């Protein structure tokens, strides 16, 4: 438990907590920032999220709930810019953030998310002496190892990340693999790292009736439903899942649902990855087993997880991976590749199975096994519910982060300001999710 309410500047340059999630550049980081901010504010802290204005209609400040504001920062065009092209706009982001910090009451801590926000955080640390906590969400050197020439981030990313690792007061690793990568590739000192995982919102994701969910989604009762849900980018290895469909017995009635993409309808032009994956399905002769749904809203996802017999995710690498937690919270067993955070969230043989990435045969064997043993699949699902409830709630994540902030923040958070923050919390009238906006 954090002894003092803190004023936290949460910087997330491209991933706004208010964005619609599911497209190429809006995924886990948006969910992380939104939920960490929500739970910190719920625990009595004051949180300002600094994020780039990517739409001219966005007001400068959005009051999301008591203790939580989103501040839209002008940096580059007020339009979508791919994150790979954002670095040149960061000096302008830093300038605006600096003015905001200068004119507001002092923050106690800056928590930067992703390397470009880390750049801003380092400058705020230099100028105002603010302690810097850093979550990378993804590491450039790991990405380069796997993506090679397809990695379109500027080469400067790596030097920036190394500088942040040296200067941050604390680096948050999201899982043991992330911690090992920070030490091995960036020379981070293990004592400067705290491992705090991602979480899941148990009010958003909870077990539901499979039959009702299938009815709601128009799915048949007698198919074995395999769910793949997330951003549609090559590194998520969705082609691997499609290839595994071709290795299942021809008599097995199976449907692979692929949820995600740039638009609600599975539009090949708007989401070129769908066109590529359709090609893979065609080449493997499994077109009739695969359904692309398009992107889905948060409030629709629990039905997809509940309708599925198994959730599958086989990326090449994964800094954490929130979707396995969402599936487990809904009582759905997970088959995931034994990489990154998935090795940590999925207990092999207990809540699902771990398989090597890029190995459709290993995946197909696990799917056949679960299909043949529905009682086992249900038991794995129930164990998943227990696991996320005890280890992976956002409330717990926020509590652990607050402990890190308290450890690095100056010890003299004045009692007067603490009292002011508490009175703000008591005056809290807005239910979560009802935002007030100031232009
Ligand atoms: N997501 C969503 N709608 C979609 C597809 C994905 O809301 O149509 C969400 C998904 O539920 C999860 C996030 O996007 O919360 C993806 O996070 P994850 O950590 O699994 O992957 P990342 O985006 O970080 O690569």
């Amino acid at each position: 438990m954090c002894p003092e309410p803190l004023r936290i500047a949460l910087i997330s340059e491209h991933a706004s907590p208010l964005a619609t999630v599911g497209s190429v550049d809006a995924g886990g980081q948006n969910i992380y920032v939104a939920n960490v901010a929500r739970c910190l504010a719920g625990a009595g802290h004051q949180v300002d999220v600094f994020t780039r204005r990517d739409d001219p209609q966005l007001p400068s400040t959005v009051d999301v709930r008591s203790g939580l504001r989103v501040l839209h920062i002008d940096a580059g065009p007020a339009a979508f810019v791919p994150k790979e092209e954002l670095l040149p706009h960061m000096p302008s982001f830093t300038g605006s953030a600096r003015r905001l910090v200068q004119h507001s009451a002092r923050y106690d801590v800056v928590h930067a998310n992703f390397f470009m926000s880390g750049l801003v955080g380092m400058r705020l640390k230099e100028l105002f002496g603010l302690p810097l906590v850093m979550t990378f969400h993804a590491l450039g050197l790991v990405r380069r190892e796997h993506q090679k020439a397809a990695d379109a981030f500027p080469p400067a990313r790596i030097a920036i990340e190394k500088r942040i690792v040296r200067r941050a007061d604390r680096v948050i690793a999201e899982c043991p693999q992330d911690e090992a990568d920070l030490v091995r590739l960036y020379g981070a000192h293990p004592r400067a790292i705290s491992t705090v995982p991602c979480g899941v919102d148990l009010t958003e994701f909870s077990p539901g009736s499979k039959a009702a969910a299938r009815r709601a989604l128009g799915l048949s009762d007698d198919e074995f439903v395999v769910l793949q849900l997330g951003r549609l980018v090559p590194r998520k290895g969705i082609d691997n899942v499609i290839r595994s469909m071709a290795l299942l017995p021809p008599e097995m009635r199976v449907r692979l649902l692929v949820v995600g993409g740039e638009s609600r309808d599975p539009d090949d032009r708007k989401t070129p990855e769908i066109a590529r994956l359709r090609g893979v399905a065609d080449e493997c002769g499994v077109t009739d087993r695969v359904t692309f749904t398009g992107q889905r809203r948060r409030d629709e996802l629990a039905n997809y997880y509940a309708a599925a017999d198994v959730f599958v995710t086989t990326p090449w690498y994964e800094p954490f991976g929130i979707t396995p937690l969402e599936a487990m919270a809904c009582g759905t067993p997970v088959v995931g590749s034994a990489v990154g955070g998935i090795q940590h969230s999925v207990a092999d043989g207990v809540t699902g199975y771990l398989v090597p990435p890029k190995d459709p045969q290993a995946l197909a064997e696990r799917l056949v096994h679960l299909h043949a043993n529905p009682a086992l699949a249900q038991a794995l699902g129930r164990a998943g519910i227990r696991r996320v409830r005890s280890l992976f709630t956002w409330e717990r994540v926020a509590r652990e982060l607050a402990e890190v902030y308290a450890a690095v923040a100056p010890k003299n958070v004045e009692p007067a300001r603490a009292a002011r923050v508490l009175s703000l919390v008591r005056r809290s009238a807005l239910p979560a999710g009802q935002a007030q906006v100031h232009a």
Side-chain angles (χ1 to χ4, degrees), residues 226-228 233-248 256 258 273 276-281 283-284 286 290 292 311-317 335-339 342 353-367:
V226 178
L227 175 66
Q228 151 73 53
V233 289
R235 72 130 172 126
K236 292 286 182 181
I238 303 163
D239 48 0
N240 179 64
V241 184
I242 293 175
R243 287 182 204 289
S244 78
M245 292 295 118
L247 303 172
L248 300 174
L256 169 63
V258 180
E273 180 67 356
R276 187 182 80 84
L277 294 171
R278 281 195 210 280
V280 175
E283 172 203 314
C284 299
V286 293
V290 183
F292 294 90
F311 177 71
V312 164
T313 179
T314 58
W316 310 339
Y317 65 100
V335 182
S337 50
V339 298
I342 301 173
Y353 295 110
L354 295 173
V355 291
K358 302 184 183 178
D359 187 343
Q361 183 63 46
L363 174 57
E365 281 166 21
R366 288 310 191 186
L367 294 178

Side-chain angles (χ1 to χ4, degrees), residues 21 27-28 231 235-236 295-296 298 301 321-323 326:
V21 173
R231 293 182 303 120
R235 72 130 172 126
K236 292 286 182 181
Q295 188 186 105
R296 287 295 175 264
R298 305 288 300 158
L301 300 184
I322 294 172
T323 51
E326 295 172 348

Side-chain angles (χ1 to χ4, degrees), residues 204-287:
E204 224 176 0
F205 298 99
S206 57
S209 147
K210 184 181 287 186
R214 288 197 179 189
R215 262 197 313 281
L217 298 175
L219 295 168
S220 141
D221 275 334
D222 54 6
E223 281 183 331
F224 185 73
V225 175
V226 178
L227 175 66
Q228 151 73 53
L229 187 155
R231 293 182 303 120
L232 299 191
V233 289
R235 72 130 172 126
K236 292 286 182 181
I238 303 163
D239 48 0
N240 179 64
V241 184
I242 293 175
R243 287 182 204 289
S244 78
M245 292 295 118
L247 303 172
L248 300 174
E251 67 281 5
M252 187 170 155
R253 293 207 57 196
V254 60
R255 171 130 327 269
L256 169 63
L257 292 181
V258 180
V259 178
E262 303 309 297
S263 56
R264 187 162 178 88
D265 294 323
D267 184 324
D268 293 29
R269 271 184 314 114
K270 289 185 185 142
T271 314
E273 180 67 356
I274 293 187
R276 187 182 80 84
L277 294 171
R278 281 195 210 280
V280 175
D282 190 36
E283 172 203 314
C284 299
V286 293
T287 299

Side-chain angles (χ1 to χ4, degrees), residues 94-278:
T94 305
S96 305
R98 171 194 178 154
R99 280 187 293 280
L100 278 168
V101 172
Q102 217 156 19
H103 292 120
S104 67
R106 218 174 78 93
Y107 291 98
D108 298 307
V109 63
V110 174
H111 180 175
N113 294 271
F114 207 57
F115 78 99
M116 287 180 279
S117 297
L119 208 49
V120 182
M122 279 196 293
R123 189 73 185 126
L124 296 179
K125 178 178 166 67
E126 262 164 40
L127 289 169
F128 303 105
L130 292 171
L132 173 63
V133 175
M134 181 70 208
T135 306
F136 282 101
H137 293 277
L139 291 167
L141 283 172
V142 175
R143 183 178 166 97
R144 199 187 268 175
E145 247 175 35
H146 293 276
Q147 304 231 358
K148 308 205 162 59
D151 176 12
F153 272 104
R157 172 176 180 171
I158 309 303
I160 295 170
E161 288 177 336
K162 288 187 172 165
R163 200 141 44 92
I164 297 168
V165 165
R166 283 197 304 275
R167 301 219 182 137
D169 295 85
R170 194 69 62 86
V171 177
I172 305 294
E174 294 186 317
C175 64
Q177 174 76 65
D178 198 17
E179 179 172 357
D181 290 340
L182 281 161
V183 173
R184 175 177 66 98
L185 299 167
Y186 289 85
H189 196 290
R191 272 205 305 276
I193 302 176
S194 295
T195 300
V196 181
C198 292
V200 61
D201 179 350
L202 298 176
T203 62
E204 224 176 0
F205 298 99
S206 57
S209 147
K210 184 181 287 186
R214 288 197 179 189
R215 262 197 313 281
L217 298 175
L219 295 168
S220 141
D221 275 334
D222 54 6
E223 281 183 331
F224 185 73
V225 175
V226 178
L227 175 66
Q228 151 73 53
L229 187 155
R231 293 182 303 120
L232 299 191
V233 289
R235 72 130 172 126
K236 292 286 182 181
I238 303 163
D239 48 0
N240 179 64
V241 184
I242 293 175
R243 287 182 204 289
S244 78
M245 292 295 118
L247 303 172
L248 300 174
E251 67 281 5
M252 187 170 155
R253 293 207 57 196
V254 60
R255 171 130 327 269
L256 169 63
L257 292 181
V258 180
V259 178
E262 303 309 297
S263 56
R264 187 162 178 88
D265 294 323
D267 184 324
D268 293 29
R269 271 184 314 114
K270 289 185 185 142
T271 314
E273 180 67 356
I274 293 187
R276 187 182 80 84
L277 294 171
R278 281 195 210 280

Side-chain angles (χ1 to χ4, degrees), residues 175 311-313 320-328 332-355 380 383-384 387-388 391-392:
C175 64
F311 177 71
V312 164
T313 179
F320 186 85
I322 294 172
T323 51
L325 301 185
E326 295 172 348
M328 285 193 270
T332 307
V334 178
V335 182
S337 50
V339 298
I342 301 173
Q343 303 166 90
H344 178 56
S345 56
V346 175
D348 192 26
V350 179
T351 66
Y353 295 110
L354 295 173
V355 291
L380 298 175
R387 185 163 172 82
V388 288
L391 294 176
F392 298 110

